Amino acid sequence: DGGITQSPKYLFRKEGQNVTLSCEQNLNHDAMYWYRQDPGQGLRLIYYSQIVNDFQKGDIAEGYSVSREKKESFPLTVTSAQKNPTAFYLCASSPGLGLTDTQYFGPGTRLTVL
Amino acid sequence: AQSVTQPDIHITVSEGASLELRCNYSYGATPYLFWYVQSPGQGLQLLLKYFSGDTLVQGIKGFEAEFKRSQSSFNLRKPSVHWSDAAEYFCAVGAGETSGSRLTFGEGTQLTVNP
């Protein structure tokens, strides 16, 4: 089955630790995205990537980092500089960054800082 | 910059009743509009999308939406709601930039279905 996988489903972190969230897709999509979702809010874009070895900051990139070494993988690192990291994180992909390229979402990772 | 407003934070309907979820957008050019649904603890699933052409768009699970340029709206409708439709619904607008398209999401509408 083609799709997007995110792991782990639940993640707990102590304050001051970096943590990496995994996102893998086998849809052969060029573009990938990371969003953050907080209760009662819509999705906010953290980073996106159009192609391997290239990525752009979204609206709330501070305290986060990404890499795109392979087309199918786009891991997100939540660093200790992120002041309020507890949230639900969603990864998405699309064929490209064109206006008609629909984004498809993974199941999400819930990060809790203890 | 584009923006999306979903005026209703929470809606409750009875099973079998009709449903309309409101979405208003702000964007200077022709918008690309989407409705997504999210079940608790899950990712988002695309219900339908509007790019151009017929302003009444059919989607999955019996949903439809109508694009009304004069009202800057893209409301989601379903004639008869099922208990399994209980979820959160997000409207989104896509807009072009020099580096590619970006989606802006509304804050979501939580749908509760009473038996």
Side-chain angles (χ1 to χ4, degrees):
Chain A
D1 286 338
I4 303 172
T5 57
Q6 292 186 241
S7 61
K9 186 171 179 64
Y10 298 97
L11 189 57
F12 297 91
R13 186 194 95 175
K14 293 182 179 179
E15 283 193 27
Q17 288 182 336
N18 292 355
V19 64
T20 298
L21 283 59
S22 170
C23 177
E24 304 275 334
Q25 55 98 0
N26 61 5
L27 300 169
N28 200 33
H29 286 172
D30 285 325
M32 297 187 74
Y33 312 78
W34 274 105
Y35 291 91
R36 170 182 173 136
Q37 185 179 23
D38 295 283
Q41 297 189 33
L43 280 67
R44 293 181 289 169
L45 182 64
I46 304 173
Y47 269 98
Y48 64 102
S49 168
Q50 185 176 7
I51 198 170
V52 173
N53 292 323
D54 181 65
F55 46 84
Q56 305 294 328
K57 292 182 178 180
D59 300 320
I60 56 165
E62 184 175 352
Y64 300 98
S65 66
V66 293
S67 63
R68 187 85 186 277
E69 297 177 0
K70 298 185 296 182
K71 184 176 183 177
E72 59 270 24
S73 178
F74 191 41
L76 173 74
T77 297
V78 184
T79 74
S80 57
Q82 170 49 233
K83 299 303 180 187
N84 185 21
T86 295
F88 191 51
Y89 291 87
L90 288 160
C91 178
S93 72
S94 63
L97 281 183
L99 290 172
T100 58
D101 286 318
T102 301
Q103 293 184 27
Y104 297 91
F105 286 80
T109 292
R110 184 165 300 281
L111 173 63
T112 302
V113 174
L114 303 174
Chain B
Q2 66 269 25
S3 66
V4 177
T5 301
Q6 293 180 247
D8 304 305
I9 296 173
H10 193 185
I11 284 183
T12 300
V13 299
S14 298
E15 191 169 15
S18 63
L19 172 70
E20 183 170 28
L21 302 182
R22 296 184 291 165
C23 172
N24 295 101
Y25 68 89
S26 173
Y27 183 58
T30 300
Y32 293 77
L33 296 159
F34 305 80
W35 274 101
Y36 287 87
V37 61
Q38 183 181 34
S39 297
Q42 301 297 316
L44 275 67
Q45 181 183 21
L46 179 68
L47 285 175
L48 49 78
K49 57 190 176 185
Y50 171 77
F51 293 156
S52 64
D54 193 345
T55 56
L56 185 62
V57 181
Q58 301 297 321
I60 62 171
K61 304 185 180 186
F63 285 92
E64 65 178 27
E66 186 171 12
F67 170 60
K68 292 186 177 180
R69 184 186 299 275
S70 61
Q71 299 178 18
S72 297
S73 69
F74 189 56
N75 294 348
L76 182 71
R77 301 195 295 246
K78 187 169 185 178
S80 178
V81 170
H82 188 261
W83 64 266
S84 61
D85 293 324
E88 189 154 24
Y89 292 80
F90 291 94
C91 181
V93 60
E97 297 180 353
T98 54
S99 61
S101 68
R102 297 271 295 267
L103 279 184
T104 298
F105 286 84
E107 295 184 351
T109 298
Q110 183 70 47
L111 174 66
T112 299
V113 180
N114 288 334

